[in-house]
Amino acid sequence: MGAPGLQCALLQVPLDYSNPGGQSIQIALSRKAHTSPDFKGVILTNPGGPGAQGRALPAYLSRAVPGNVGAKYDWIGMDIRGVGGSIPSLHCDGRYFNPRRPPNAPSTNAIMTKWLNRSRAFAQSCARSAGAVLLPHMDSQTIAKDAESVRQALGVAQLNIFGFSYGTYLAQVYATLFPGNTGKIVMDGVVDPERVWYGSNLDQEVAFNRNLNVFWRYLANHPRAFKLGRNANKIKRGYYRKLRQLTRKPMRNFGAAEFNDSLIEAGYYVFNWPSLGQAYSSFIRRNRPGGLFAAYARNNMGDDNMYAVYLAVQCTDGAWPTQPQMLADARVMHRRSPFMAWSNTWYNAPCLTWPAPIAPRAAVNGAGLSQNVLLISETLDAATPFSGALRAKQLFPTASLIEGVGGTTHAGSLSGVACVDKAIATYLESGAVPARGGGGADLRCPRIPPPTP
């Protein structure tokens, strides 16, 4: 969906760029036009996912950059192919995340079989969907070619890009394919292009387990607010005890899988730690799951468009292991980092039987760029670990890296940390970035602070 003050349009592009005269599809776009006479160009935005709807993003970004710098650009939002208002959009099984699902951790062969069958059935439902024609053409290199079609349609010589999370990988691929057409790039929550995507998911499992330990400490540091005591390890043990109880005896609409997944958001962002902590406390102390169920439903239930597109991109962007290898890796990860090991495994398991061919992975390289590049990452970002930002800095010789020191928030720039936000404004105003130094961060900024409950 769009937002007030935006212009909206559909752009016709080839379904298959190797056959430009063949079938076409339509990409849904929005524009927040510049209001300053000092026009500096066009910025294509992407909120991540892959699969998040992007047409509303320009309305926020255009006013969030300090110093009214955002008013000097035309901001372009895009629902990537298959998403939201783009035609066709991809939908597979909107009931897939309805409760109750089997427990994520397969303690029996029966549970393992249920999950494998569910994952296979979801992939098959995508093959039968009205948008199935998209499936062989959903890799990131094709989506980057859609971005180039946007540049051509707008008639600009260079396309600036502001990408969050998956949007950083899209920016990297675009810059690799079209270096001469690439302007300024801001990447926040930087994907490691050499870990796409199976390796990235293993990295996430370690990082989310670590960040939940940070969340447990947050709850322990505020005993009056959450009433769970001052011992973070005891709070953590309480979580796993409750998980075992729900595995043995699930509630009507809230089992072990829903409980586990309701807390994943705590590993992404600090913004909702107070409300999520209160919901968690209510469940642990009073056995009232309503707040946690609402968190689970908000992030998972309903239209499956984002999940379908997420899989359509990730399953075809690079090689995936065999089923025995994936399950073996999950067992190892569960022993070391149990919080999200099996949840993340099942989230991606439809890739084992995905009904579309795997495309060659893009050989990302920013050596051909003439413009500076700005990278942003918090130290403990779990969804796109900091190592990805370091890798991207190696691959992009003109890139400088801003680190939110000690922070756990994913892709959270332009949310009020002046050190970060002013650096973005300076870059978009003049192209200047923090002086590039060695292999680490070039500017160390405060983290996004967790709210006081």
Side-chain angles (χ1 to χ4, degrees), residues 377-389:
S377 178
E378 291 214 321
T379 315
L380 303 180
D381 182 340
T384 52
F386 192 70
S387 56

Side-chain angles (χ1 to χ4, degrees), residues 66 378 404 412-423 445-449:
E378 291 214 321
S413 65
L414 298 177
S415 58
V417 177
C419 176
V420 176
D421 297 353
K422 288 181 180 178
C445 290
R447 64 175 179 164
I448 297 172

Side-chain angles (χ1 to χ4, degrees), residues 82 84 89-94 125-126 129-131 303-305 308:
S89 61
L90 183 63
H91 305 263
C92 300
D93 180 359
S125 71
C126 293
S129 71
D303 186 358
D304 74 329
N305 179 230

Side-chain angles (χ1 to χ4, degrees), residues 264-315:
I264 286 175
E265 192 173 339
Y268 275 100
Y269 310 109
V270 298
F271 307 114
N272 67 343
W273 278 8
S275 60
L276 198 58
Q278 293 289 355
Y280 176 74
S281 175
S282 180
F283 186 44
I284 294 297
R285 295 171 52 246
R286 300 173 182 170
N287 208 37
R288 296 176 180 173
L292 290 184
F293 179 79
Y296 170 76
R298 180 174 64 249
N299 292 318
N300 296 282
M301 292 173 61
D303 186 358
D304 74 329
N305 179 230
M306 180 173 173
Y307 181 54
V309 173
Y310 166 92
L311 290 172
V313 175
Q314 295 219 354
C315 295

Side-chain angles (χ1 to χ4, degrees), residues 323-407:
Q323 177 178 304
Q325 184 62 58
M326 178 182 272
L327 298 180
D329 289 342
R331 293 185 185 97
V332 171
M333 295 301 296
H334 184 69
R335 289 194 294 270
R336 298 175 179 174
S337 300
F339 173 72
M340 207 176 76
W342 281 109
S343 173
N344 208 29
T345 296
W346 298 129
Y347 198 80
N348 292 280
C351 289
L352 294 172
T353 56
W354 194 250
I358 293 171
R361 192 174 72 183
V364 166
N365 190 313
L369 297 183
S370 58
Q371 296 258 21
N372 290 330
V373 173
L374 190 63
L375 310 174
I376 305 164
S377 178
E378 291 214 321
T379 315
L380 303 180
D381 182 340
T384 52
F386 192 70
S387 56
L390 297 176
R391 187 72 55 88
K393 183 181 174 182
Q394 291 176 346
L395 294 170
F396 284 75
T398 61
S400 292
L401 171 60
I402 300 174
E403 177 182 3
V405 178

